Amino acid sequence: VTAGEEDEEVPDSIDAREIFDLIRSINDPEHPLTLEELNVVEQVRVQVSDPESTVAVAFTPTIPHCSMATLIGLSVKVKLLRSLPQRFKSLALTLPFPLPPSHPVNKQLVDKEWVAPALENTPVLEAVNQCLSSRSLAWLLTPSLHTKGPETRGMSKRKDKQGVLEGLG
């Protein structure tokens, strides 16, 4: 350990691997799997500019018109906001093609005036916190997923969360 490494005034550099390690264990809102296990997030889709203090995470929902894309994006954004030093002011979250930057989900996720009120909405914040909790705890918090058959698993939950999220947009 050098004197420079111990100096509190010198900011630690952050790279794509560190960002990926922060977001890989986020829970999918509908499945008892992490975003990494579902290939929703991958290290190759994380871009970091440490000198500019920016992070960009591109994620791929499990299906093209995933109703949980906004909740997943908010969960990633909140995890980064809670974990990164305050110098990281610009946190951009985008969906890779086929959704263009003008897609409503992308517009919402980069719009501070949409994100802030969304995170003040108690049901949305609870859903985000559930995605960020440990997998075993998150799965225990959604017992309805255990009792439904595979054909309906998560359907009522999807409708409830989707309705809340759509009402904010």
Side-chain angles (χ1 to χ4, degrees), residues 27-116:
N27 298 301
D28 182 87
E30 295 182 300
H31 306 286
L33 299 170
T34 66
L35 297 184
E36 178 188 28
E37 291 168 332
L38 291 169
N39 293 320
V40 171
V41 295
E42 298 175 279
Q43 185 176 338
V44 296
R45 295 188 182 198
V46 175
Q47 297 178 347
V48 178
S49 174
D50 195 55
E52 295 176 17
S53 297
T54 60
V55 174
V57 176
F59 65 94
T60 307
T62 54
I63 58 173
H65 300 291
C66 177
S67 63
M68 295 287 110
T70 306
L71 179 57
I72 291 168
L74 278 174
S75 298
V76 171
K77 191 169 191 95
V78 168
K79 179 67 173 183
L80 294 175
L81 285 169
R82 290 178 182 174
S83 303
L84 292 176
Q86 287 185 337
R87 68 184 173 94
F88 282 88
K89 300 292 183 195
S90 177
L91 302 173
L93 299 154
T94 59
L95 297 165
F97 294 108
L99 296 178
S102 61
H103 188 276
V105 171
N106 285 333
K107 282 184 171 184
Q108 288 175 332
L109 292 174
V110 298
D111 182 357
K112 291 178 185 178
E113 299 204 8
W114 183 87
V115 171

Side-chain angles (χ1 to χ4, degrees), residues 4-12:
E5 291 172 338
E6 291 181 354
D7 187 354
E8 294 293 323
E9 299 298 317
V10 177
D12 293 331

